[in-house]
Amino acid sequence: MEDVFTEYGVWDLYLRDRYPLEESGIFKDADAHELRGFFETFEYDSYEQFSTLFPLYLFLKKKNRHFW
């Protein structure tokens, strides 16, 4: 998944927030394809934003399969 952060230009944000992101378990139910879809839909500037928006994105995607 780390390569997706680099691909979308948020590697520095990932490095800054790496520990809380990994410890939160936010990636346990996600794959790289879903992370790419998230970055195509949202932007984030902090761990707080990512930790709120990414689970919301995954929830909506699972509830509505047309949401990408």
Side-chain angles (χ1 to χ4, degrees):
M1 291 250 225
E2 294 176 357
D3 58 326
V4 179
F5 283 90
T6 303
E7 182 180 331
Y8 284 90
V10 290
W11 179 247
D12 56 334
L13 292 172
Y14 176 74
L15 287 178
R16 185 189 69 207
D17 301 327
R18 182 180 203 155
Y19 180 75
L21 287 172
E22 290 176 354
E23 290 298 312
S24 71
I26 203 166
F27 298 123
K28 71 178 181 177
D29 295 328
D31 60 23
H33 180 70
E34 291 170 324
L35 189 57
R36 281 185 182 93
F38 171 80
F39 286 135
E40 290 172 3
T41 307
F42 296 101
E43 292 183 14
Y44 85 99
D45 295 326
S46 69
Y47 165 74
E48 290 78 15
Q49 288 176 349
F50 186 81
S51 65
T52 302
L53 293 174
F54 189 58
L56 177 63
Y57 171 80
L58 293 176
F59 172 78
L60 291 173
K61 185 174 176 281
K62 288 177 182 163
K63 283 292 193 181
N64 182 0
R65 298 193 190 276
H66 301 290
F67 181 76
W68 283 88

